[in-house]
Every structure is written in structure tokens, then in C-alpha cells.
């Protein structure tokens, strides 16, 4: 056997050259070492986006979707509270100082009938939006295979919600919509 670095003769079975110290053969792995898994990020489609972008931002997106779900609950409850107060003539009984400003022209202390009918609609929309946001957050945090597609659909739906919905929708679409992101998400998704 000959050393590829310096060209000096080396006896068989030796791992390092005695003259230059170059490694001649790969060291034997201990039998207890687990085999190395193939790198799932070797797909050439991932060259279009920074490597591991989805993996780095997935937890942030999941937490933001859960926070957005909580925001939807709080906003819906506050909206229902004020709408019911406006429709019913105030927040308190006859002693409430602003009671007389509500409901004028619609009878004593009652708003228009359509105003009372809109409360259940707001409640249903709030519940659907909240459940959708929490499902997206859960799917992304747990790396479920269906999480990416649900997040893209929900992102498109919340784009019309001013400021927070629009920002979250744009961020999620930037993160998960490219085809390279689909490949990366599939590689890290929990398929169990």
C-alpha cells in the first residue's frame, strides 16, 4: 500500500502514514453507532429559497396562529358585548348614566331588530375563525401533513382582516406557498 499524500510505502492495515500523518482509510465505526439518515434537504428545488427556511420559521408561524385565534375570541366577545349593549339600550339598568343615548327612535331601550339578529352571526363567524386559527396553529406546531395546506387556505381567508390578519396571511404565504417550501415541509412533517 502507498500513501496518497507523500507516496511512501505503508504496511497493510495501518490507518495513518508514519511519514506525513495522513489518514489512509476511514476509521471503523463502533457497532453501536446508528446509521446516518439521508439528508432530506438535498432536493435541488430547495436551492430557490434559503435552506431550512420553513423549519426555522414553522414554530413562529404556529404560535402566531394560536395567538391570532385568541385575538379572534377576545375581539368577537367584545364586539358581541357592545352590540348587545347598543341593541338593548345600555350596559346597566336604569341607573346607567349613558343608557338614554342608546336606542332612541326604536322604542324604549331597544335597538332595531336587525341589530339584535346580527349577534348570532358574529358569534358563529367568531367561532369558525377561532377554530380555524387554532387548527392551523396546532397543525404547524405538530408538523402535521395537512397543516401546510390548511395554513395556506386560512392565510388567504384572513388577508382581508385589517392589519393583523393581513400581516399573518402574508407571512404564512411567504413561508409555505412556494413549491420548494412544500418539499421542505413534507421532509419535516410528522407522517405518523
Amino acid at each position: 500500500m502507498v500513501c496518497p499524500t507523500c507516496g511512501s510505502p505503508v504496511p497493510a492495515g495501518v490507518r495513518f502514514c508514519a511519514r506525513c500523518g495522513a489518514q489512509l482509510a476511514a476509521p471503523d465505526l463502533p457497532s453501536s453507532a446508528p446509521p446516518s439518515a439521508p439528508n432530506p434537504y438535498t432536493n435541488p428545488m430547495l436551492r430557490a429559497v434559503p435552506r431550512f427556511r420553513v423549519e426555522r420559521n414553522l414554530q413562529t408561524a404556529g404560535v402566531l396562529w394560536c395567538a391570532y385565534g385568541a385575538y379572534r375570541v377576545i375581539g368577537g366577545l367584545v364586539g358581541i358585548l357592545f352590540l348587545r349593549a347598543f341593541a338593548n339600550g345600555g350596559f346597566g339598568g336604569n341607573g346607567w348614566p349613558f343608557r338614554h343615548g342608546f336606542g332612541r327612535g326604536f322604542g324604549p331601550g331597544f335597538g332595531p331588530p336587525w341589530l339584535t339578529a346580527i349577534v348570532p352571526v358574529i358569534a358563529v363567524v367568531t367561532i369558525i375563525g377561532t377554530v380555524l386559527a387554532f387548527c392551523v396553529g396546532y397543525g404547524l406546531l405538530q408538523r402535521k401533513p395537512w397543516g401546510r395546506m390548511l395554513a395556506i387556505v386560512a392565510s388567504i381567508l384572513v388577508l382581508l382582516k385589517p392589519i393583523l390578519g393581513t400581516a399573518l396571511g402574508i407571512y404564512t404565504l411567504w413561508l409555505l406557498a412556494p413549491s420548494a417550501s412544500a418539499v421542505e415541509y413534507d421532509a419535516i412533517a410528522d407522517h405518523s
Side-chain angles (χ1 to χ4, degrees), residues 22-111:
Q23 185 175 358
L24 300 175
D28 295 333
L29 292 175
S31 61
S32 63
S36 61
N39 186 355
Y41 303 109
T42 56
N43 191 317
M45 289 186 66
L46 291 177
R47 292 185 191 136
V49 294
R51 291 178 59 89
F52 311 114
R53 179 181 75 172
V54 173
E55 187 174 13
R56 279 194 325 260
N57 293 297
L58 197 59
Q59 184 173 1
T60 303
V63 169
L64 286 174
W65 274 101
C66 289
Y68 185 71
Y71 164 75
R72 291 290 307 259
V73 167
I74 293 168
L77 290 176
V78 168
I80 289 171
L81 174 73
F82 278 97
L83 194 59
R84 285 187 56 99
F86 183 75
N88 293 331
F91 288 105
N94 289 333
W96 184 256
F98 304 108
R99 179 173 173 77
H100 301 293
F102 291 108
R104 291 209 175 158
F106 302 112
F110 294 100

Side-chain angles (χ1 to χ4, degrees), residues 1-10 15-25:
M1 181 182 221
V2 177
C3 175
T5 306
C6 67
S8 64
V10 179
R15 288 195 234 168
F16 297 95
C17 176
R19 183 170 179 211
C20 68
Q23 185 175 358
L24 300 175

